[in-house]
Amino acid sequence: MNTPWWKSSVVYQIYPRSFCDSNGDGIGDLRGITSKLDHLQALGVDVVWLSPVYRSPQDDNGYDISDYRDIAPEFGTLADFDEMLAAMHARGIRLVMDLVVNHSSDEHAWFQQARTSRDNPYHDHYIWCEPRDAAAPIGSPASLPNNWEAAFNGSVWEWNEPTGEYYLHMFSRKQPDLNWENPALRQEVYALMRFWLERGVDGFRMDVINMISKPWREDGSLPDAPVVRDGFLQPGFALTCNGPRLLEFLREMRHEVLDHHDTMTVGEAPMATTRQGREISDPIDGALNMLFQFEHMDLDSLPGDPRGKWALKPLDLRDLKRTMARWQDELHGCGWNSLYLGNHDQPRPVSRFGDDGEHRVRSAQMLGTWLHLHQGTPYVYQGEELGLGNVRFATIDDYQDIETRNMYRVATTERGEDPAEVMRAIHAKGRDNARTPMPWNDGPNAGFTTGTPWLKLNPSWPQVNAAQAVADAGSVFHYYRRLIALRKAHPIVIDGRHDLLLAEHPALYAYTRTLGAERWLVVCNFSADEQLFELPADIPAARWETVIANIEPAGGADLHALPMRPWEARVIRLLG
Ligand code: GLC
Ligand code: CA
C-alpha cells in the first residue's frame, strides 16, 4: 500500500511571535525561525505548521489578516519567507501555512471597500443584516439581528453606519466573517491558496474551517441560538459550526485547488462529531486529510456552564478513553485522525494532564507516548518537546491574549465574579500559557530575544530550556526524538488498528495496536500513584519485549500483573 506522506509525518507547530526573535524587537520572526531549524531537524519532525505570518493589525495575533499575500513587517518580508521555506525544504521539512478564511481583518482592502456602500463590488464578500427592529436603538437587543455572542465577548453584530447595516463577526469586531455564499469570494480564496502553493508551500491548516457555511433561513436571517443562560446574548457556535453547505464548499476547494497539488490539509473544527470527521476526511468523497476535533479538549470543563471552557472540572480519565476510542474506531480504515494535546489556544499538556512539578519530565514523556501511539498524525506544539508547563502570572496586566483579557473584564465587572477565581481559571486554561516565548537556553531572556519579550517568559526557563534538554539524554526532547523515529521504523504505528483496554480503570490508560500478526500494547499511568496493570486473560503474552518506555523497565515482570510506577509509560511488543 502506498501511504501518503502526511500519514507517516509528525507535525511541529510554530507560533512565530514566540519562537525566536532575530532583531531584538521582542517579537519572534521568520529569520528567527530559519536560525532554529537545526532544533527541528534533530527532533526529527517532517512538517512545520506555521501560525499566521501574513500582514495583520494583530488584534488576535495574526488570525486577523489584512493582506493574504504579504508578510507582516514584524515577522519579516516575502524574501525572508522564501529563504525560510528553502531552508526547510533543504532539510526535508515541509511547510503548512495557516489559512484563515472564515474571516479577514476589518483592515483588509475588501472590507474597507465593502463597508462603504451596499453597491460596492466587495460588499457581498461579507455578511450583513438589517436591524431586526428599525425603530430600536442601535446595538439594543431589539435591534440586533440575532442573539449570538461573539467568541471574544459581546454581540457578533457590529453596526456599520455608511450602509445602515450590521456585519457579522464570530470572533472580535476586527474579524468580520467572510461570505462563502458568494462565488466570487470563494474564487478569491482559491486564488490566494494557489499563490502560496505556487510559492512552494505544502499545505494548509484551516482556521475554524467548519464555520464557513452559515445556517441561513429562506428570509435571509440567521436564527437565534437557544437560550441557555440569563441575559440576551447566547452562545451561537453550535449553529455556525458544520453548516448546511460546508462539505459542498470544501469539495469545491478540493477540486479547484487541492487536487492539483501534493498537499496536506487539516481543518480546525470545533464541535465536529465523528460522523463529520469521517465525511470530511474520506479520501474519495471528502475534502481534507484530517480535522482538529475538540471533544477531548472539552472534557475538563463543566458541560453546559455559561462560562464555557473557563468552568473548571477535573478530568475523568474514563471520559478521555470513551472519546478517544470513539474517534479511533470510527475513523479507522475510512478517514484519518489528527492527534494533539496542545496548541496555541490550549494550556500546556504537562500542566493540564500530567504533573508540571516533581514528575514533570516523566509525565510529559508519558503523555507523548500516549498520544503518538494512537492512529493518526501527531502534532507537537513548540515547547511541548521540552515538557514546558503553564504560567501563573500574578495580574491580568501580564496577559496579552484578547480572549483572556476580554473574559476577565466581563467576568469581573459585568458578572461580578471573584477576581481570584477568574485568575485561577486563566492559570488553568488561558491561551497565553502556550504563548510564552520559547526558552532556548539559560541566558538572558532564555535566548529568545536580546530585547524585551512581547509576553513574559515562563519563569522556569533557567531549568527548562532547549539547550538543557538537548544536553540531557533523559530529557523530554530525546524521548520525543525516539517516539518520532519509532513511527518511521514500524508501520504498525501508522496503520495498526486501535483497541481500548480497561475502559473503566480510573488511572491506567491501556490499548493495543494490531497490524496483521503484529500486536503492540501501550500502557500509561495517568497518576502519581503506583498502579497494577492486569492484561486481560484472553490476550496471549507469554513472550514480549519493550519497544520504548520512559523508565528502565523492571525486569522479569508478568504482563498479567505489572506494577506501573507514577506516570510510567510502556510500549510492548507481544510475541505470543
Ligand atoms: C482559531 C485559532 C485561534 C483564533 C480563532 C479566530 O481557533 O486557532 O487562535 O483566535 O480561530 O481566528
Ligand atoms: Ca523580531
Side-chain angles (χ1 to χ4, degrees):
M1 197 184 73
N2 205 349
T3 303
W5 56 267
W6 43 266
K7 286 194 178 177
S8 56
S9 289
V10 173
V11 184
Y12 186 92
Q13 184 192 352
I14 293 182
Y15 195 68
R17 217 178 170 72
S18 301
F19 195 62
C20 180
D21 173 23
S22 72
N23 63 351
D25 67 354
I27 300 173
D29 46 51
L30 297 179
R31 287 170 164 251
I33 296 172
T34 308
S35 74
K36 293 296 184 188
L37 294 180
D38 287 350
H39 176 78
L40 305 191
Q41 197 171 20
L43 189 58
V45 297
D46 308 276
V47 178
V48 165
W49 150 26
L50 183 62
S51 277
V53 292
Y54 314 93
R55 203 173 266 273
S56 160
Q58 306 286 337
D59 187 51
D60 185 18
N61 288 358
Y63 283 91
D64 48 318
I65 298 169
S66 55
D67 185 346
Y68 288 99
R69 296 167 194 243
D70 202 1
I71 302 294
E74 55 268 63
F75 294 141
T77 63
L78 277 170
D80 295 335
F81 177 86
D82 290 339
E83 200 177 309
M84 176 192 76
L85 181 59
M88 285 179 179
H89 284 167
R91 287 172 163 80
I93 297 174
R94 290 179 161 99
L95 176 66
V96 162
M97 297 285 273
D98 216 310
L99 182 73
V100 188
V101 289
N102 172 69
H103 45 268
S104 72
S105 164
D106 66 337
E107 297 182 31
H108 193 289
W110 297 337
F111 192 74
Q112 295 295 314
Q113 290 278 324
R115 72 186 319 167
T116 58
S117 101
R118 294 191 186 200
D119 304 325
N120 186 283
Y122 290 97
H123 188 255
D124 204 25
H125 273 37
Y126 294 87
I127 298 175
W128 306 94
C129 274
E130 309 271 343
R132 193 147 28 175
D133 174 353
I138 300 306
S140 68
S143 170
L144 292 171
N146 71 18
N147 67 358
W148 298 355
E149 181 179 52
F152 304 146
N153 301 106
S155 167
V156 297
W157 299 104
E158 184 75 12
W159 183 247
N160 183 54
E161 190 58 42
T163 58
E165 300 161 295
Y166 289 98
Y167 67 84
L168 177 78
H169 62 87
M170 293 307 297
F171 294 87
S172 95
R173 66 166 67 93
K174 289 186 67 61
Q175 294 167 298
D177 280 51
L178 290 163
N179 178 20
W180 277 73
E181 301 289 327
N182 176 2
L185 178 275
R186 302 205 296 274
Q187 289 303 326
E188 297 266 21
V189 172
Y190 306 150
L192 75 88
M193 292 173 74
R194 290 185 199 108
F195 172 87
W196 290 101
L197 290 169
E198 282 157 18
R199 227 178 169 91
V201 314
D202 303 288
F204 298 100
R205 174 268 186 185
M206 304 185 185
D207 192 65
V208 289
I209 199 68
N210 68 334
M211 291 173 58
I212 58 177
S213 163
K214 312 298 191 230
W216 291 106
R217 291 189 300 201
E218 297 263 314
D219 65 358
S221 68
L222 289 167
D224 274 330
V227 175
V228 296
R229 61 175 193 231
D230 292 347
F232 176 70
L233 295 180
Q234 304 294 328
F237 269 64
L239 288 149
T240 44
C241 290
N242 310 308
R245 299 184 70 188
L246 174 64
L247 204 57
E248 175 198 335
F249 293 155
L250 292 179
R251 282 181 181 143
E252 182 183 84
M253 175 197 280
R254 172 182 173 170
H255 294 128
E256 290 265 347
V257 185
L258 300 170
D259 277 350
H260 308 284
H261 298 266
D262 179 20
T263 59
M264 167 183 150
T265 51
V266 50
E268 190 199 21
M271 313 194 100
T273 63
T274 47
R275 190 175 60 79
Q276 287 141 358
R278 248 194 338 254
E279 251 170 28
I280 294 178
S281 69
D282 183 303
I284 314 228
D285 300 327
L288 307 179
N289 298 145
M290 62 193 113
L291 294 184
F292 287 131
Q293 59 89 15
F294 279 73
E295 284 187 21
H296 65 309
M297 292 285 107
D298 296 335
L299 301 174
D300 56 358
S301 314
L302 290 167
D305 190 292
R307 290 169 298 167
K309 76 171 188 182
W310 306 102
L312 309 179
K313 166 181 177 277
L315 175 77
D316 182 333
L317 195 65
R318 290 162 290 198
D319 291 338
L320 184 64
K321 293 179 189 183
R322 274 188 283 277
T323 300
M324 287 297 289
R326 194 155 37 74
W327 279 88
Q328 289 286 296
D329 299 346
E330 295 190 17
L331 269 63
H332 177 72
C334 54
W336 191 250
N337 273 298
S338 63
L339 305 171
Y340 75 99
L341 277 177
N343 60 39
H344 65 294
D345 294 328
Q346 300 293 339
R348 294 283 180 179
V350 69
S351 303
R352 187 178 190 179
F353 303 108
D355 169 1
D356 61 10
E358 184 192 347
H359 298 294
R360 185 182 65 81
V361 170
R362 200 191 287 169
S363 68
Q365 293 168 335
M366 182 280 286
L367 291 168
T369 314
W370 173 83
L371 188 73
H372 283 236
L373 267 293
H374 277 94
Q375 186 174 33
T377 299
Y379 290 74
V380 180
Y381 176 70
Q382 67 185 45
E384 181 183 329
E385 79 280 24
L386 311 178
L388 187 59
N390 283 348
V391 282
R392 293 172 185 81
F393 293 146
T395 78
I396 190 65
D397 300 327
D398 289 333
Y399 288 87
Q400 301 283 346
D401 170 31
I402 180 173
E403 179 189 60
T404 303
R405 294 173 72 105
N406 286 359
M407 184 283 288
Y408 182 88
R409 183 172 39 76
V410 172
T412 56
T413 58
E414 293 170 26
R415 291 206 299 269
E417 288 174 30
D418 173 8
E421 276 302 299
V422 178
M423 287 308 290
R424 204 169 71 84
I426 291 172
H427 294 161
K429 291 282 184 74
R431 303 197 295 183
D432 279 344
N433 280 309
R435 300 177 180 187
T436 59
M438 180 79 175
W440 291 105
N441 55 47
D442 62 4
N445 289 318
F448 164 72
T449 180
T450 55
T452 308
W454 72 277
L455 176 67
K456 279 191 181 175
L457 290 152
N458 186 320
S460 67
W461 59 266
Q463 297 81 44
V464 183
N465 61 67
Q468 182 285 327
V470 169
D472 173 3
S475 68
V476 181
F477 177 86
H478 286 295
Y479 189 83
Y480 262 62
R481 206 171 45 70
R482 288 163 55 210
L483 268 181
I484 292 167
L486 209 58
R487 169 172 304 265
K488 311 293 169 204
H490 302 280
I492 191 171
V493 179
I494 298 163
D495 297 317
R497 191 189 70 236
H498 162 278
D499 288 288
L500 182 69
L501 303 179
L502 316 182
E504 297 307 321
H505 198 293
L508 284 180
Y509 200 124
Y511 56 92
T512 56
R513 299 288 304 279
T514 310
L515 185 66
E518 181 150 17
R519 190 185 247 182
W520 285 18
L521 167 68
V522 181
V523 188
C524 295
N525 183 353
F526 271 72
S527 80
D529 302 315
E530 184 164 309
Q531 306 283 345
L532 190 68
F533 171 73
E534 296 172 81
L535 185 69
D538 59 325
I539 301 183
R543 289 186 312 117
W544 54 274
E545 66 190 19
T546 298
V547 179
I548 189 171
N550 65 349
I551 322 181
E552 274 309 304
D558 173 6
L559 287 191
H560 296 97
L562 180 71
M564 292 290 293
R565 288 157 289 181
W567 306 105
E568 180 170 358
R570 277 229 228 174
V571 181
I572 288 164
R573 180 190 283 119
L574 300 173
L575 302 166

